[in-house]
Amino acid sequence: GNLERLQQELEPLFGAGRREVVLDLRRVATLDASAAVALARWRTLAQAQGVRLRLAGVTPDNRHGRTLAAHGQLAPWRSEPGLLHADADHAIEAAEVAALVA
């Protein structure tokens, strides 16, 4: 249920001229395999529409990053530097810098 609700709110953000979307997972207690796959699917969907999806509260060595790695979903996030951030402040700052450069 939670993934479906998030999908309904998140996917419409991948259009309407947006170039950056930050998804803050800091308060998410756990990610499971279905969440890892959903995040990968949303990243691909966002990319297809020219949007960079950044994750806040996810680093390669925190619990969410380790979960993504355990389900084979961390590598795509690491393939493009700057998509994983320890917190929302850093993710938003990176998105702002990217917007200024573009």
Side-chain angles (χ1 to χ4, degrees):
N2 289 335
L3 283 177
E4 290 176 17
R5 191 169 56 231
L6 180 57
Q7 178 180 352
Q8 291 173 350
E9 292 186 31
L10 184 63
E11 289 185 6
L13 298 177
F14 299 155
R18 286 183 184 82
R19 298 180 68 183
E20 303 278 341
V21 172
V22 173
L23 181 59
D24 187 0
L25 300 177
R26 183 188 44 165
R27 293 185 183 180
V28 173
T30 59
L31 295 178
D32 60 11
S34 60
V37 170
L39 288 169
R41 187 180 72 240
W42 293 330
R43 180 178 182 272
T44 300
L45 179 61
Q47 277 183 318
Q49 296 188 33
V51 176
R52 185 176 292 120
L53 177 60
R54 297 176 186 272
L55 300 181
V58 181
T59 63
D61 49 345
N62 74 6
R63 71 180 191 267
H64 291 331
R66 289 190 301 270
T67 299
L68 291 176
H71 297 292
Q73 300 299 327
L74 183 61
W77 292 99
R78 294 185 80 181
S79 67
E80 182 181 343
L83 295 182
L84 301 178
H85 301 275
D87 55 50
D89 289 338
H90 287 98
I92 292 168
E93 181 180 352
E96 290 172 342
V97 168
L100 291 173
V101 171

